[in-house]
Amino acid sequence: MIYLHIPFCKSFCTYCGFYSEIETPGCYAKYADEICAEIKTRRSEFRGSLKTLYCGGGTPSLLPLNALAKILLALGEIGQGGPYEEFTMEVNPDDIVEKGVDYVKGLISLGVNRISIGVQSFDDDLLKFMNRRHDAAKAEKAVDIVREAGITNLSLDLIFGVGGMTADSWKDTVKKALDLHPEHISCYQLSIDEGSHLAQLISDGLYTEASEEDCREQYDLLCELCRERGFHHYEISNFALPGKEALHNSGYWSREPYVGLGPGAHSLSGATRSWNTRTLNEYSPEFEYLGEEEVRLESIMLSLRTDRGISAEVLRKQCDPETIERLVSEGALSLSGGRYRIPEDHFFVSDEIIRELI
Ligand code: SF4
């Protein structure tokens, strides 16, 4: 599995805590050269059974097609070129509307077979507050464009738990997203990232976080509406039509090895986790070697975030049996087919359940 980070944006979103830089003239050609050099240097690290490529950001849809083609060529030279089982590109609605159907066709000709659109909301006031570049109409137009270009595996990203968001606004957003017939929906609760503009607004007393109760209601509504439309809630924050579950992300949750390219990107190989430092131009890798205990905890945490859960035998060996039994009796864990799972109605409090177990 390969993750390619594109650390450029045109403007910064209010809540963003990711590593990203504002684009500058010539930055993409230079960046493609740096990634090609990194691919060559790290050629021995590419292994694993899943053949997926995920372009995330930042804003990957800012990357010109020729820069992406160059990177793919470098991957091909070390035997890691396409076709990939799943090749996802995160895109911003504004870029798709601006660049049009030919750009998406260009992505498809380079092997992209899945697109994830960062919609976040269909409420124009909230989009403005988030400092997103698009409005609701552009998000809908972007969906039309990627469909017209021939994309048959489309994911929409949404955000819930925004302070001041009404129940009606959220319901409208989820319904509009579902009415666009995506194959997949990812939905994350707004978090307050250190260094983000949002964190500053809070400390200036200009933003009040959504209450836990509101977040819970919004999450429950999302689960209900997705269920009604036949979506499979296969991970806490992810819903897919059957057979359209994201391969790449599922690989993360089962601790498949992956190589992350670009500044700030993480990689995993067995018990070694590494990440590139966050500076453009001269980024370099740092390593962390996980002990058996850390690998064990990580596996439990990741497995229980999914509806596959974890083998009952493994969990019983690794966690206190009394705690497991208590959680089962409270309905916070269920046991079937030899596996423990967190039931969907407890997904929202999964962090607490996992904390109790480990
Ligand atoms: S949220 Fe995404 S698009 Fe917005 S500033 Fe952060 S990286 Fe860029």
Side-chain angles (χ1 to χ4, degrees):
M1 289 169 39
I2 305 168
Y3 172 78
L4 172 61
H5 191 61
I6 311 298
F8 301 102
C9 292
K10 271 192 174 169
S11 53
F12 290 129
C13 303
T14 309
Y15 53 86
C16 183
F18 298 122
Y19 168 64
S20 183
E21 308 250 343
I22 296 292
E23 61 173 2
T24 52
C27 66
Y28 299 109
K30 190 163 175 278
Y31 188 64
D33 286 344
E34 281 167 19
I35 293 291
C36 291
E38 184 182 359
I39 290 167
K40 273 193 197 124
T41 316
R42 299 179 64 190
R43 62 188 308 153
S44 64
E45 291 178 43
F46 291 83
R47 57 176 80 95
S49 53
L50 260 183
K51 208 160 180 209
T52 62
L53 173 57
Y54 191 103
C55 276
T59 313
S61 48
L62 289 175
L63 192 69
L65 291 172
N66 58 1
L68 181 60
K70 195 168 186 186
I71 293 169
L72 291 168
L73 211 61
L75 283 168
E77 279 166 11
I78 62 154
Q80 293 295 328
Y84 301 94
E85 258 181 272
E86 186 186 271
F87 180 173
T88 302
M89 188 92 177
E90 285 181 357
V91 302
N92 182 300
D94 190 47
D95 296 332
I96 296 300
V97 172
E98 192 187 308
K99 296 185 176 187
V101 77
D102 286 345
Y103 170 72
V104 184
K105 282 188 178 163
L107 290 177
I108 295 172
S109 72
L110 290 175
V112 171
N113 55 21
R114 183 172 183 271
I115 280 192
S116 172
I117 305 185
V119 171
Q120 318 313 1
S121 173
F122 285 100
D123 180 325
D124 283 342
D125 289 337
L126 280 183
L127 287 168
K128 252 190 222 138
F129 166 73
M130 293 179 191
N131 201 30
R132 297 289 300 178
R133 282 192 271 139
H134 66 281
D135 58 13
K138 265 195 186 166
E140 287 181 45
K141 181 105 181 83
V143 171
D144 288 347
I145 291 171
V146 299
R147 290 303 199 192
E148 191 191 332
I151 285 291
T152 56
N153 198 354
L154 170 67
S155 182
L156 302 182
D157 271 6
L158 300 177
I159 292 181
F160 73 101
V162 184
M165 181 168 77
T166 63
D168 280 349
S169 159
W170 178 238
K171 190 172 191 178
D172 188 55
T173 281
V174 179
K175 282 194 161 172
K176 280 206 174 118
L178 289 165
D179 286 345
L180 290 168
H181 304 291
E183 280 72 32
H184 190 279
I185 288 186
S186 293
C187 185
Y188 292 89
Q189 184 173 336
L190 184 72
S191 57
I192 313 299
D193 289 341
E194 214 180 303
S196 65
H197 181 55
L198 193 57
Q200 187 59 46
L201 289 179
I202 292 176
S203 71
D204 292 346
L206 296 172
Y207 173 82
T208 310
E209 289 180 69
S211 69
E212 197 63 9
E213 199 187 335
D214 285 350
C215 293
R216 168 94 214 206
E217 274 171 21
Q218 289 162 17
Y219 185 76
D220 286 349
L221 181 74
L222 169 78
C223 296
E224 186 190 322
L225 295 177
C226 286
R227 194 180 319 119
E228 279 172 18
R229 302 284 184 105
F231 278 76
H232 169 204
H233 192 175
Y234 69 110
E235 196 266 351
I236 293 174
S237 307
N238 288 279
F239 303 79
L241 290 179
K244 296 293 186 178
E245 294 81 2
L247 290 177
H248 188 87
N249 288 352
S250 298
Y252 287 150
W253 304 321
S254 53
R255 295 191 89 258
E256 278 273 334
Y258 56 89
V259 177
L261 300 166
H266 285 231
S267 304
L268 181 78
S269 174
T272 307
R273 195 189 352 248
S274 58
W275 57 91
N276 288 331
T277 48
R278 283 173 149 221
T279 8
L280 203 58
N281 301 330
E282 283 178 10
Y283 61 90
S284 56
E286 289 182 2
F287 294 90
E288 176 185 31
Y289 299 96
L290 305 173
E292 248 179 64
E293 178 67 2
E294 279 162 304
V295 172
R296 176 186 84 85
L297 296 181
E298 202 171 86
S299 303
I300 294 172
M301 269 191 304
L302 292 171
S303 309
L304 284 173
R305 288 181 63 90
T306 70
D307 78 332
R308 281 198 75 240
I310 187 166
S311 142
E313 201 187 325
V314 170
L315 195 72
R316 281 197 208 110
K317 238 189 249 163
Q318 302 192 335
C319 298
D320 172 38
E322 276 180 29
T323 308
I324 295 175
E325 286 321 306
R326 181 175 51 75
L327 289 170
V328 170
S329 70
E330 290 169 356
L333 275 184
S334 68
L335 175 64
S336 63
R339 300 183 77 84
Y340 283 109
R341 298 173 175 82
I342 296 181
E344 189 189 30
D345 62 357
H346 279 72
F347 263 171
F348 188 73
V349 288
S350 58
D351 283 351
E352 284 132 68
I353 297 170
I354 292 167
R355 252 198 312 274
E356 286 200 53
L357 279 167
I358 59 178

